[in-house]
Amino acid sequence: MGFQDTPEEWQVTSTVTPFTGKKTSVRTDDVVMPDGTVARRDYQVHPGSVAVLAIDEENRVLVLRQYRHPVRHKLWEIPAGLLDIPGENPLHAAQRELYEEAHVKAEEWRVLTDIYTTPGGSDEAVRVFLARNLSEAEGERYAVSEEEADMEQARVPLTELVRGVLAGDLHNSCLVVGVLALTATLAGEGVDSLRPAEAPWPARPFEA
């Protein structure tokens, strides 16, 4: 087994969905605890997401700056998006997001890491991909709207992003996890040790 997370599901005696929004909902479960008591747990039900750490031949990471209303900040992030279609192949979703948000395509893809963003309050699962061998996408740019209409784009050296993370200047979870995971990979066994882009993802099963 090794040192790893393991699936487990405690008994739920009742469940309701008091709120359903455009993209997510809130669920309330009554869960039986190990001592036999029942505790109520509220959490966000989320379709899942993908994120892309796209790095060019100069070791610069493609980042986007976007307003995030819940935290009242403009955050530097890596391209990311929802798994809008149940069972959608996450690689296809990641390629779509890279095209739509940055008008970029990549020839080499790997799974960098899989995370639960806030497992105490949401079931959101994110697969973070590493994308290399970048080039501009063909055709017209994707039409953006709402917060994305104000989005900025930059390419920043990986080492500079790591410094920003450790200094407390950068806060987006996918960016933080992505740049630190890639730095550890490059200092360790290298990119070829990463999982292939179509690796299974038990948190969000998909058709290959």
Side-chain angles (χ1 to χ4, degrees):
M1 289 290 293
F3 192 72
Q4 63 187 51
D5 298 333
T6 55
E8 183 167 318
E9 188 167 353
W10 292 0
Q11 181 184 359
V12 175
T13 59
S14 69
T15 183
V16 294
T17 304
F19 170 79
T20 300
K22 180 180 178 181
K23 298 178 180 178
T24 66
S25 61
V26 173
R27 183 175 296 162
T28 299
D29 289 344
D30 288 338
V31 186
V32 179
M33 299 289 110
D35 64 359
T37 61
V38 176
R40 181 156 291 178
R41 295 289 179 260
D42 303 317
Y43 58 99
Q44 179 194 39
V45 178
H46 194 285
S49 306
V50 291
V52 184
L53 195 150
I55 190 164
D56 65 18
E57 66 281 352
E58 298 177 40
N59 267 357
R60 299 178 303 171
V61 177
L62 192 158
V63 291
L64 309 167
R65 190 168 182 246
Q66 185 172 346
Y67 176 67
R68 294 301 188 182
H69 185 71
V71 296
R72 271 59 167 188
H73 270 70
K74 272 193 171 181
L75 300 179
W76 285 106
E77 308 178 350
I78 57 178
L82 297 175
L83 290 168
D84 295 313
I85 304 168
E88 183 177 17
N89 186 309
L91 174 60
H92 299 167
Q95 292 169 332
R96 180 188 68 232
E97 293 299 332
L98 186 61
Y99 162 72
E100 291 181 357
E101 294 192 345
H103 200 66
V104 166
K105 65 179 181 179
E107 298 301 324
E108 299 178 38
W109 291 82
R110 293 272 187 164
V111 174
L112 188 53
T113 190
D114 297 325
I115 60 174
Y116 291 117
T117 54
T118 50
S122 173
D123 70 349
E124 181 183 12
V126 181
R127 169 155 280 187
V128 183
F129 288 92
L130 174 65
R132 299 189 298 166
N133 195 0
L134 309 181
S135 61
E136 186 172 355
E138 295 90 358
E140 296 183 4
R141 285 186 171 270
Y142 181 78
V144 296
S145 61
E146 300 177 343
E147 290 93 342
E148 292 183 353
D150 188 50
M151 200 159 53
E152 304 169 51
Q153 183 180 147
R155 294 196 183 193
V156 182
L158 177 63
T159 53
E160 185 175 335
L161 292 177
V162 171
R163 283 194 294 268
V165 168
L166 299 179
D169 296 330
L170 300 171
H171 306 90
N172 174 264
S173 59
C174 292
L175 183 148
V176 170
V177 170
V179 300
L180 295 182
L182 179 56
T183 300
T185 299
L186 296 175
E189 298 181 3
V191 169
D192 289 342
S193 68
L194 295 172
R195 287 170 291 162
E198 296 277 10
W201 188 17
R204 293 294 184 274
F206 62 93
E207 294 291 336

